[in-house]
Amino acid sequence: MKVIHSISQMSICSRKIKANGQSIGFVPTMGALHQGHLSLIKKAKRDCDVVVISIFVNPTQFGPQEDFKKYPRSFANDKKLAQKAGIDFLFAPAAEEIYPSNYCTYIKVKNLDERLCGAFRPGHFQGVATIVHKLLNIVQPNIAYFGQKDFQQAVIIKTMVRNLNIPVKIRVLPTVREKDGLAMSSRNRYLNEREKKDASILFQTLQLAKEMVEKGEKNSAKVISGMKKILGRVPDAKIDYVSIVNPENLEDVRLIDKKILVALAVWIGKVRLIDNMLIDEKPETRMTNGE
Ligand code: AMP
């Protein structure tokens, strides 16, 4: 595995790989690698000749009061995990190289960036879209891999790629979870034992939504109210949002008559966690031809 810090060196390597007729699979990350990241890497290895991952804690996607400074950084361990996973290139640029002092260009994916998390983290998705666009330009992958855990991020990136004609395929892979259902996340490292147990309430809440919808509940407000009741069992849980939206445009859905995304952001103590689930409407209403 080759570790690269400079943008120009990464671009040169990518160009050589492409000139050799090999395909590049790319997994952008902020490091503190876990099984969620590794699942993306595994898929990239299966699909592509060469796998590049980036580790970059992107300052422009953190608000002034957010956890940029204390975001978990474990580069030495990440390097070992990346090597073990069979990655070819680890790209870890310095912030000053990505954003020199005169930096002034940002990507905004309108409307989508204001829904769900965007309403609570102004500017977050502009930072995400900007860094992903820059990384795609530098690494020039054939396929880039993202996790469903950050569903809104994936929708925004797919939209950006489509709107700006960026020559890359975007693949979104399922959320990897702990045994109790907690979605793996680098931020789970902030949770103490007690909070980690409490945090499994997010998944239980999503499961309740799934049960209600599959039993035929069509009224989003009722599902959301049932979910909030469950979250109320954890006294330390503070809800940013519990939403039912159209997975294509992230607009609120009132009547559940097609596939929906149930998404939530909840603080457990001082840690903000997000999770989501795609749910089909009551399955038997869609069955045709005896399937
Ligand atoms: P991050 O390092 O948190 O920015 O995540 C890098 C990529 O890994 C993003 O595309 C995330 O959506 C994805 N990812 C993070 N957690 C998980 C998970 N539990 N399962 C699958 N993918 C994940």
Side-chain angles (χ1 to χ4, degrees):
M1 180 179 78
K2 192 165 175 184
V3 179
I4 296 181
H5 296 289
S6 103
I7 292 174
S8 59
Q9 209 193 340
M10 186 68 245
S11 293
I12 290 168
C13 286
S14 291
R15 245 177 281 142
K16 279 190 190 154
I17 296 163
K18 301 287 271 298
N20 265 342
Q22 291 180 298
S23 60
I24 300 178
F26 176 48
V27 181
T29 83
M30 297 210 296
L33 300 182
H34 51 69
Q35 290 300 325
H37 299 117
L38 294 176
S39 73
L40 305 184
I41 291 166
K42 233 186 243 169
K43 179 75 173 116
K45 273 184 71 74
R46 250 183 275 143
D47 294 347
C48 302
D49 300 314
V50 173
V51 173
V52 179
I53 79 160
S54 61
I55 294 184
F56 181 66
V57 184
N58 175 36
T60 62
Q61 71 187 68
F62 288 81
Q65 309 303 324
E66 293 184 358
D67 57 345
F68 172 67
K69 281 210 174 113
K70 71 176 183 79
Y71 192 84
R73 290 164 173 89
S74 51
F75 192 66
N77 194 49
D78 286 349
K79 226 160 60 175
K80 280 188 211 150
L81 288 173
Q83 181 122 38
K84 212 167 140 207
I87 284 156
D88 302 284
F89 293 90
L90 194 179
F91 178 48
E96 307 76 60
E97 192 166 359
I98 294 287
Y99 300 113
S101 57
N102 53 352
Y103 190 86
C104 54
T105 305
Y106 295 90
I107 304 272
K108 179 166 171 63
V109 180
K110 271 168 75 177
N111 300 328
L112 287 172
D113 68 344
E114 282 162 14
R115 307 193 196 290
L116 303 175
C117 283
F120 295 85
R121 303 186 68 187
H124 169 68
F125 289 110
Q126 178 170 299
V128 169
T130 301
I131 187 61
V132 172
H133 196 321
K134 282 170 72 73
L135 291 169
L136 293 175
N137 282 342
I138 297 165
V139 176
Q140 302 278 318
N142 299 77
I143 310 179
Y145 297 83
F146 295 87
Q148 190 194 309
K149 192 196 142 242
D150 300 278
F151 193 96
Q152 184 172 13
Q153 169 174 287
V155 171
I156 285 174
I157 287 163
K158 280 199 268 184
T159 305
M160 173 183 79
V161 162
R162 198 172 55 242
N163 286 177
L164 297 182
N165 312 101
I166 305 174
V168 64
K169 281 195 187 112
I170 301 298
R171 294 267 181 277
V172 182
L173 300 186
T175 303
V176 178
R177 300 178 179 282
E178 305 280 0
K179 276 200 193 95
D180 64 3
L182 173 63
M184 290 196 186
S185 161
S186 304
R187 288 194 168 94
N188 292 354
R189 294 183 189 203
Y190 301 144
L191 299 167
N192 63 32
E193 278 312 305
R194 169 75 215 251
E195 290 168 334
K196 216 167 174 195
K197 266 191 204 140
D198 285 348
S200 66
I201 199 79
L202 273 77
F203 183 62
Q204 290 164 31
T205 304
L206 292 170
Q207 276 185 311
L208 169 88
K210 186 173 161 66
E211 273 165 35
M212 287 179 79
V213 173
E214 287 185 351
K215 277 188 189 147
E217 182 57 66
K218 300 257 175 240
N219 183 338
S220 285
K222 281 196 182 154
V223 178
I224 290 171
S225 139
M227 292 173 75
K228 287 186 173 167
K229 231 181 246 166
I230 299 231
L231 285 166
R233 288 184 199 156
V234 171
D236 265 0
K238 194 186 126 280
I239 300 170
D240 264 2
Y241 64 83
V242 175
S243 298
I244 296 185
V245 299
N246 175 329
E248 310 280 321
N249 56 22
L250 308 182
E251 279 175 17
D252 283 331
V253 165
R254 283 199 196 152
L255 176 73
I256 303 170
D257 58 358
K258 50 181 166 316
K259 198 173 199 174
I260 49 161
L261 179 81
V262 182
L264 71 174
V266 176
W267 291 84
I268 300 288
K270 291 200 165 103
V271 189
R272 185 178 188 274
L273 299 173
I274 57 170
D275 204 346
N276 66 77
M277 197 179 269
L278 278 167
I279 303 175
D280 272 330
E281 56 172 320
K282 193 179 174 190
E284 54 266 39
T285 60
R286 282 181 300 100
M287 283 186 194
T288 50
N289 306 329
E291 277 172 47

